[in-house]
């Protein structure tokens, strides 16, 4: 890290875009309103033990009814953009015919954003596949990719006159491997071949979606968001540890990056996953569709990890440093049996480096974000003129609510501060990063962890639906307003 950016006042590049992100199923609620039908998350949430406390997104943050208040909040926080997703199951409740009443919500939301001078940054798929399509095979069925392209066209016909930024998919790694291989996310399947089939068909959906959008909106900003890990070998001099890191990087990052940005699957990954039938799904021409040029790569980064071919000796490394109040990683974990998300990384072990941990049990490692962005620039986006935005970064910490209702979340504030500084270090090293979206605007339905993990810079009281801006949110507002990260010892820090 650069000593100047480590603690001092940092000016961000002119025009840097500041935003926050949410996802439809995590915030909207109104799951049975205006003709919406079940998505795979509605169904998954009913499986005993799948989601902590048996929670679901039926009510969530009631953003469906409170979007005006939420947009006003973002305007007051001086934000420039709102990254949200549209619910496929609201728009095409059975995966087929359009539901005009559901579609109308996004019309209202986009108008409200524009009148508050917020840029609508629209994601088409943040994990809520219509259940009817899952019953036809879900992402293991090639046909789902074609249904996705139809849905993209529906959304473009409705909003293309007002929305200029389109993201096809959020984190296909999670959809494919948490959903179809580990079984921790919807639809909860546990199969290596299914995860790989899903990954390929998700990428096909992305490519078909980009083609359909490009044809209709040649000047729009089109892209997708991937989630990344930064896998470091425990012992960089041990070839077995280096190979463990290669496998994780391959099956997490490159299995998506290479088809989408280079038009080919990485040879080493194909070899690792050879027993599980990935190539059975790849037809002539698929990789050309998948690598249709994009304008923007959205980068979601939360943490990296140290990996080894050997398990960690007990006692070494420790369990990481947990701030007071932060639970052990699986104190409140769902109780359902799950497996590893990686199709071919048996025998790879993650080691603790003793770094501080968030309430998710994830390491706090901002320097990993610098390395990730610089690497993406050099190996993937730079040569193709693709811009990057950090489309998600943030942290869960337990809120301590003061007697006056205030939440002084210095832990979350420091996390975002550190990752913004890491982003600036990457920009200084040549990475073309044009904006940052904090995850999340609101505390929300954290998937299998239900409402037990809070990522918001704004607190949500789920009894009253009252919103309270946390210290991190007030601080982030000054960052967005001034385009400056204030010095860490700035005494005016909220
Ligand atoms: C992302 N993992 O999910 C999602 O885009 C958000 O919807 C979510 O709320 C946020 O990160 C925080 O979790 C992830 O297990 C979920 O590696 C799990 C993983 C990664 C990303």
């Amino acid at each position: 890290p650069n000593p100047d950016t480590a603690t001092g006042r940092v000016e961000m590049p002119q025009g840097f875009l500041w935003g926050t992100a949410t996802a439809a199923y995590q915030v909207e609620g109104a799951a049975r309103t205006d003709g919406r039908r079940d998505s795979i998350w509605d169904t998954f949430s009913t499986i005993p033990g799948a989601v902590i406390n048996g929670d679901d997104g039926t009510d969530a943050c009631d953003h469906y009814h409170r979007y005006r208040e939420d947009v006003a909040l973002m305007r007051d926080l001086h934000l420039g953009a709102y990254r949200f997703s549209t619910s496929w199951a609201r728009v095409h409740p059975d995966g087929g015919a359009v539901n005009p009443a559901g579609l109308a919500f996004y019309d209202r939301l986009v108008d409200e954003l524009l009148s508050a001078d917020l840029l609508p940054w629209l994601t088409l798929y943040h994990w809520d596949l219509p259940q009817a399509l899952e019953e036809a095979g879900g992402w293991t069925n090639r046909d789902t990719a074609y249904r996705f392209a139809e849905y993209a066209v529906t959304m473009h016909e409705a909003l293309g006159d007002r929305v200029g930024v389109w993201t096809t998919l959020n984190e296909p790694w999670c959809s494919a491997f948490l959903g179809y291989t580990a079984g921790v996310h919807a639809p909860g399947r546990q199969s290596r071949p299914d995860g790989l089939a899903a990954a390929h068909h998700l990428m096909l959906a992305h490519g078909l979606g980009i083609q359909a959008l490009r044809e209709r909106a040649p000047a729009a900003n089109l892209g997708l968001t991937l989630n990344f890990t930064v896998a470091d070998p425990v012992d960089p001099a041990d070839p077995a540890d280096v190979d463990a890191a290669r496998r994780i990087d391959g099956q997490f990052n490159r299995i998506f990056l290479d088809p989408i940005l280079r038009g080919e699957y990485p040879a080493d990954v194909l070899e690792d996953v050879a027993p599980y039938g990935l190539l059975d799904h790849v037809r002539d021409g698929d990789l050309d569709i998948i690598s249709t040029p994009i304008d923007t790569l959205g980068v979601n980064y939360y943490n990296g990890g140290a990996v080894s071919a050997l398990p960690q000796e007990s006692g070494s490394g420790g369990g990481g440093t947990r701030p007071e109040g932060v639970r052990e990683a699986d104190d409140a974990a769902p109780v359902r049996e799950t497996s590893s998300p990686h199709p071919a990384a048996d025998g790879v072990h993650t080691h603790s480096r003793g770094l501080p941990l968030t309430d998710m049990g994830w390491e706090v490692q901002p320097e990993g974000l610098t390395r990730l962005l610089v690497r993406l620039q050099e190996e993937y986006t730079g040569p193709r003129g693709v811009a990057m935005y950090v489309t998600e970064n943030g942290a869960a910490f337990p809120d301590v609510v003061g007697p006056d209702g205030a939440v002084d979340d210095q832990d979350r504030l420091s996390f975002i501060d550190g990752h913004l500084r890491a982003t600036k270090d990457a920009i200084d090293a040549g990475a073309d990063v044009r904006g940052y979206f904090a995850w999340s605007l609101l505390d929300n339905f954290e998937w299998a962890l239900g409402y037990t993990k809070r990522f918001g810079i704004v607190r949500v009281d789920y009894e009253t639906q009252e919103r309270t801006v946390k210290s991190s949110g007030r601080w982030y507002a000054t960052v967005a307003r001034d385009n400056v990260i204030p010095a860490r010892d700035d005494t005016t820090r909220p």
Side-chain angles (χ1 to χ4, degrees), residues 67-154:
Y67 69 96
R68 283 201 181 83
E69 179 192 340
D70 293 337
V71 170
L73 199 52
M74 288 187 265
R75 188 199 53 217
D76 293 345
L77 293 177
H78 309 294
L79 301 177
Y82 179 42
R83 176 174 178 260
F84 63 99
S85 77
T86 54
S87 161
W88 191 347
R90 219 180 261 300
V91 174
H92 294 279
D94 300 306
V98 177
N99 169 32
L103 189 54
F105 169 64
Y106 300 108
D107 213 70
R108 296 193 290 278
L109 174 62
V110 165
D111 284 344
E112 193 69 18
L113 288 167
L114 293 175
S115 64
D117 260 329
L118 281 143
L119 175 81
W121 185 292
L122 188 153
T123 299
L124 289 164
Y125 187 67
H126 199 129
W127 311 353
D128 43 359
L129 185 73
Q131 178 61 25
L133 294 182
E134 176 59 26
E135 270 146 37
W139 287 111
T140 62
N141 180 354
R142 184 178 174 92
D143 193 51
T144 301
Y146 293 87
R147 299 288 84 76
F148 174 82
E150 291 166 8
Y151 160 54
V153 170
T154 303

Side-chain angles (χ1 to χ4, degrees), residues 282-347:
V282 182
R283 298 199 189 158
D284 280 354
D286 280 6
L287 283 153
D288 294 330
I289 297 170
I290 289 170
S291 59
T292 303
I294 56 173
D295 306 298
T296 289
L297 176 67
V299 176
N300 289 2
Y301 173 80
Y302 290 91
N303 63 321
V307 297
S308 165
L310 292 174
Q312 187 160 26
E313 286 169 44
S314 60
S316 67
T321 342
R322 258 167 231 282
E324 190 133 8
V326 171
R327 287 170 283 248
E328 285 296 321
D330 40 49
D331 271 3
V335 295
R336 202 164 154 271
E337 260 331 299
T338 54
S339 26
S340 162
H342 309 297
D346 295 341

